[in-house]
Amino acid sequence: MPVPWFFLSLALGRNPVVLSLERVAGPQDTARCSPGLSCHLWDGDVLCLPGSLVSAPGPMLVPTGLQTELVLKCYKETDCDLCVRVAVHLAVHGYWEEPEDEEKFGIAEDPEIEEPRNASLQAHVVLSFQAYPTARCVLLEVQVPAALVQPGQSVGSVVFDCFEAALGAEVRIWSYTQPRYQKELNLTQQLPALPGLNVSADGDDVRLVLDVPEEKRFGLSLYWNQVPGPAKPWWHRNLTGPQTITLNHTDLVPCLCIQVWPLEPDSVRTSICPFREDPRAHRNLWRAARLQLLPPRAWRLDAPCSLPAEATLCWQAPDGGPCQPLVPPLPRENVTVNKALEFPLLKGHPNICVQVSTWEKQELQECLWADSLGPLKDDMLLVETRGPQDNRSLCALESSGCTPLLSSVSTRAARLGGPLLQDVQSGQCLQLWDDDLGALWACPMEKYIHRRWALVWLACLLLAAVLFLLLLLKKNHVKAAARSRAALLLYSADDAGFERLVGALASALFQLPLRVAVDLWSRRELSAQGPLAWFHAQRRQTLQEGGVVVLLFSPGAVALCREWLQDATSAAGAHGPHDAFAASLSCLLPDFLQGRAPGRYVGAYFDRLLSPDAVPALFRSVPVFSLPSQLPDFLGTLQGPAAPRPWRLAERAEQVSRALQPALDSCFRAPGTGRGMGPEAENRT
């Protein structure tokens, strides 16, 4: 990928120090050796397979050091790529083994054996190079003459030109021989990046400042550099000119990298990963990590980056104690993120969990089968250990450790050691794991719970249920009694305004737990039955149900009462067919005269429409209330034993008062418009 000269000059210095870098002409890779050595570069790349370590049969040529240098691989005068030159320093390691018979008996060496010891050494040296997104391996064949073969001595070096890399890239280089006689050498180097990309903190946020010339178009990409696996793009934009991009601190993870490149053909991409050591990024990585169940018995740790953690199985008891590690089924090993892992179990169990932890502390724990197998069980986990000659031992996993069965310690497992052993032998325990080293058994403990405690709990539950039922019945009875209390309103239809006031009172009482009967709502029945028959039916039903008859006194009602007391015959026929009050007086007066009225009747009148002493003395044998000033007492009397608490009663009285106020105001705005409206009407009577 050709590098624009402008970007190379920016990356490598403000002055034209690029001219001081050595230039390598042509696209071909080359190799050269120090004097005395011969070397050859194999055509094409080779597979990067280090292989296992093998023992050297004698002196071998091995790499001992790596050295890099930046050069320019140029295709034209100003069309160059940044390139990494690698020098591999070589030395002779190892000795020829002396035959034991020669040392002991002084036997002369065989000339055929002596000849290879004086021969030259040849080695195949592999150079492995990684720099995102490039990975290459080349093979160098190096030969050392016999005169330079001195064990433990350096013989020179071989230089490879060269590995292409991007500005700002992190390059990793390994070197080893084939076959491999020692651990491979490795070297990590950060190449210079464009100075126009700056990362800075801004409180809880992170700012990416790109100082790019105006009208210069470039691409910007944020990606997760996952190892192993390809990079995973997260955010990409094509931008123009200087830009400042803000990232929330919760988006930072250690493998979040930034890549920028000019939008030109064959342009070089500059990448940096600035959050590898950021503590916030590491905390966010653990917050983003998730354990996921994969049926039938597999799991996977999902995370955007690699995690330096280990995973193991554990047994979680329902008492809330720590999860006990189960080392035999799943030995502790490093976690590979985003890869499905199988559990070596025969059966699943809700108490088996997975722990993911660092060397410092436990980070994640999930009981993966909780959804499919239900909640934690009170099972005892037995660990069977198998030794030589079919020796077996069983212990129970408890919070204090693994307790041997049939031991003398005072734990639940020791006390039940014999029965638990019989459960295993009779097949009542569930086998979770089995191999040559041992087995795991989950034994149910329900049958060992003391039955007397179960009976006590059952009795307590039954008692609680009975008490709850009684409270519920009492509450329903109170509600039913309050709801079924009936109230029959009797009044004199003085005029339309007073009828509206009575209707407002009836509607307000109906909103309470009262069943209200009033002739305003029963005109059809009144016409069909007549006022007297209708009143008799309503009065009988109200009193049979424990209700109350409300006498609403008004100037007109007071006048009717006085007329009736003076001449009952003329008063009975002087009113219309719908006047239930006039028709009811013939039935009401005997109750009052004979003392049967208290508890069955209640009187009431409206403030400013009637004075208290205007109510006839005969009717004062029952409570008479002034409305709305005495509404709380009036409502309490109507509701009887089911009346609510005083504060609640005051709230209901306030509601009724607000409902009556418009009708009261209407009556007072038109005084004297009907028979008996206002105090002056009372005086006229």
Side-chain angles (χ1 to χ4, degrees):
M1 295 179 291
V3 181
W5 188 263
F6 170 72
F7 283 96
L8 273 180
S9 63
L10 278 179
L12 301 176
R14 183 169 297 182
N15 296 323
V17 294
V18 173
L19 300 177
S20 64
L21 293 182
E22 182 180 342
R23 299 190 179 196
V24 178
Q28 297 298 323
D29 297 331
T30 59
R32 64 180 186 277
C33 323
S34 56
L37 305 182
S38 61
C39 55
H40 169 67
L41 174 64
W42 281 37
D43 294 335
D45 292 352
V46 297
L47 293 176
C48 302
L49 299 175
S52 303
L53 286 172
V54 297
S55 299
M60 292 296 167
L61 190 63
V62 295
T64 58
L66 292 173
Q67 186 176 354
T68 62
E69 179 184 3
L70 292 181
V71 296
L72 296 177
K73 177 179 282 190
C74 298
Y75 309 94
K76 298 178 182 180
E77 181 65 22
T78 59
D79 188 6
C80 301
D81 275 343
L82 192 64
C83 211
V84 180
R85 172 183 288 168
V86 182
V88 184
H89 298 279
L90 303 170
V92 177
H93 284 189
Y95 299 87
W96 291 109
E97 296 181 359
E98 298 292 340
E100 295 181 2
D101 293 340
E102 292 182 7
E103 295 179 359
K104 185 175 181 180
F105 301 105
I107 301 175
E109 294 183 357
D110 190 341
E112 295 182 358
I113 298 177
E114 182 69 19
E115 181 177 353
R117 299 186 182 183
N118 297 327
S120 61
L121 291 181
Q122 182 177 332
H124 291 90
V125 180
V126 177
L127 276 178
S128 176
F129 177 87
Q130 288 187 8
Y132 176 80
T134 303
R136 292 185 59 194
C137 282
V138 298
L139 182 62
L140 302 169
E141 185 178 310
V142 185
Q143 190 167 1
V144 181
L148 297 180
V149 177
Q150 296 295 329
Q153 297 296 320
S154 175
V155 297
S157 61
V158 58
V159 178
F160 172 75
D161 282 334
C162 58
F163 294 113
E164 297 179 15
L167 291 170
E170 181 183 79
V171 299
R172 299 180 182 182
I173 303 171
W174 292 267
S175 180
Y176 51 87
T177 60
Q178 284 187 344
R180 187 160 65 95
Y181 300 114
Q182 67 177 18
K183 186 177 180 181
E184 63 267 20
L185 298 178
N186 65 82
L187 175 67
T188 301
Q189 182 178 3
Q190 185 75 41
L191 299 186
L194 286 174
L197 180 59
N198 182 36
V199 181
S200 62
D202 183 13
D204 288 339
D205 297 329
V206 174
R207 291 195 305 170
L208 308 181
V209 180
L210 295 106
D211 188 10
V212 178
E214 293 185 5
E215 300 183 359
K216 187 70 177 181
R217 299 182 68 247
F218 63 95
L220 178 69
S221 177
L222 302 178
Y223 63 94
W224 290 328
N225 189 21
Q226 296 176 327
V227 178
K232 185 177 180 180
W234 179 53
W235 187 87
H236 171 81
R237 291 290 186 278
N238 291 333
L239 305 171
T240 302
Q243 294 284 343
T244 299
I245 297 169
T246 301
L247 299 178
N248 193 291
H249 70 97
T250 58
D251 296 328
L252 304 184
V253 290
C255 63
L256 180 62
C257 299
I258 307 165
Q259 190 177 78
V260 61
W261 67 96
L263 295 178
E264 298 176 359
D266 299 326
S267 60
V268 144
R269 298 193 175 202
T270 300
S271 299
I272 60 171
C273 303
F275 309 112
R276 289 177 179 171
E277 306 300 329
D278 193 324
R280 297 175 301 176
H282 285 273
R283 288 194 296 268
N284 293 338
L285 178 58
W286 278 109
R287 293 191 188 104
R290 293 291 182 271
L291 282 172
Q292 183 180 357
L293 173 65
L294 301 175
R297 283 185 299 276
W299 64 283
R300 183 177 67 210
L301 178 62
D302 294 327
C305 310
S306 298
L307 281 169
E310 295 180 335
T312 186
L313 290 180
C314 63
W315 177 266
Q316 180 63 65
D319 58 5
C323 200
Q324 301 290 325
L326 302 179
V327 176
L330 184 62
R332 286 190 175 272
E333 58 183 14
N334 290 334
V335 179
T336 302
V337 299
N338 306 322
K339 178 182 179 182
L341 301 173
E342 294 287 339
F343 287 129
L345 298 175
L346 300 176
K347 299 288 185 179
H349 195 281
N351 294 32
I352 293 182
C353 308
V354 176
Q355 281 184 348
V356 177
S357 58
T358 63
W359 64 275
E360 294 178 337
K361 63 177 181 178
Q362 174 188 324
E363 298 287 354
L364 297 173
Q365 176 178 316
E366 291 291 340
C367 300
L368 299 177
W369 289 292
D371 293 337
S372 58
L373 298 181
L376 299 177
K377 295 182 178 180
D378 189 19
D379 291 357
M380 183 69 71
L381 184 72
L382 303 184
V383 181
E384 179 181 345
T385 304
R386 297 169 182 169
Q389 300 179 354
D390 201 23
N391 291 330
R392 300 188 178 188
S393 62
L394 277 172
C395 66
L397 194 63
E398 297 183 290
S399 58
S400 58
C402 206
T403 305
L405 297 186
L406 306 179
S407 64
S408 58
V409 297
S410 58
T411 64
R412 182 173 71 159
R415 290 193 298 268
L416 299 174
L420 288 174
L421 187 59
Q422 294 178 2
D423 290 345
V424 173
Q425 295 171 350
S426 62
Q428 298 183 39
C429 298
L430 178 66
Q431 189 175 31
L432 304 178
W433 171 71
D434 183 31
D435 74 351
D436 296 337
L437 299 178
L440 294 177
W441 306 83
C443 299
M445 299 294 290
E446 289 87 352
K447 62 182 178 181
Y448 299 113
I449 298 176
H450 297 293
R451 298 184 182 277
R452 60 188 182 93
W453 290 111
L455 293 176
V456 170
W457 278 109
L458 182 60
C460 292
L461 291 175
L462 288 175
L463 180 60
V466 170
L467 291 176
F468 178 76
L469 183 60
L470 290 176
L471 290 174
L472 187 63
L473 290 175
K474 183 178 179 181
K475 183 178 180 181
N476 289 339
H477 175 72
V478 171
K479 290 178 63 177
R483 185 63 183 172
S484 62
R485 191 76 191 272
L488 173 61
L489 300 186
L490 295 179
Y491 69 98
S492 173
D494 291 9
D495 57 20
F498 189 75
E499 281 192 316
R500 284 195 298 270
L501 182 58
V502 173
L505 177 63
S507 298
L509 295 178
F510 187 77
Q511 299 300 321
L512 306 177
L514 290 171
R515 184 165 52 84
V516 179
V518 63
D519 61 357
L520 284 174
W521 299 345
S522 305
R523 295 297 192 190
R524 182 176 298 176
E525 290 84 349
L526 278 172
S527 299
Q529 301 175 13
L532 188 60
W534 179 86
F535 167 74
H536 275 292
Q538 294 296 325
R539 173 179 172 277
R540 182 174 59 254
Q541 181 178 354
T542 299
L543 296 180
Q544 286 178 352
E545 294 178 356
V548 63
V549 178
V550 180
L551 302 178
L552 289 177
F553 290 101
S554 65
V558 171
L560 281 175
C561 291
R562 290 175 178 174
E563 291 177 9
W564 186 271
L565 292 173
Q566 294 174 1
D567 187 0
T569 306
S570 61
H575 301 279
H578 300 300
D579 197 336
F581 186 83
S584 66
L585 289 178
S586 60
C587 298
L588 296 178
L589 290 177
D591 287 342
F592 280 89
L593 292 172
Q594 298 173 14
R596 296 194 303 266
R600 308 166 102 189
Y601 294 86
V602 170
Y605 61 92
F606 291 101
D607 296 338
R608 299 168 58 189
L609 294 182
L610 196 69
S611 61
D613 54 358
V615 177
L618 178 66
F619 298 99
R620 294 178 192 171
S621 61
V622 298
V624 179
F625 300 97
S626 176
L627 305 182
S629 59
Q630 295 180 339
L631 264 174
D633 296 335
F634 176 66
L635 297 180
T637 302
L638 290 186
Q639 293 184 282
R645 295 182 179 181
W647 63 270
R648 181 61 178 162
L649 199 61
E651 289 183 356
R652 293 182 177 179
E654 181 65 25
Q655 295 174 2
V656 175
S657 179
R658 287 197 300 268
L660 292 178
Q661 197 60 45
L664 283 170
D665 294 342
S666 177
C667 287
F668 293 137
R669 280 197 299 268
T673 56
R675 181 188 57 183
M677 293 302 296
E680 65 278 7
E682 179 186 348
N683 294 332
R684 288 194 302 270
T685 61

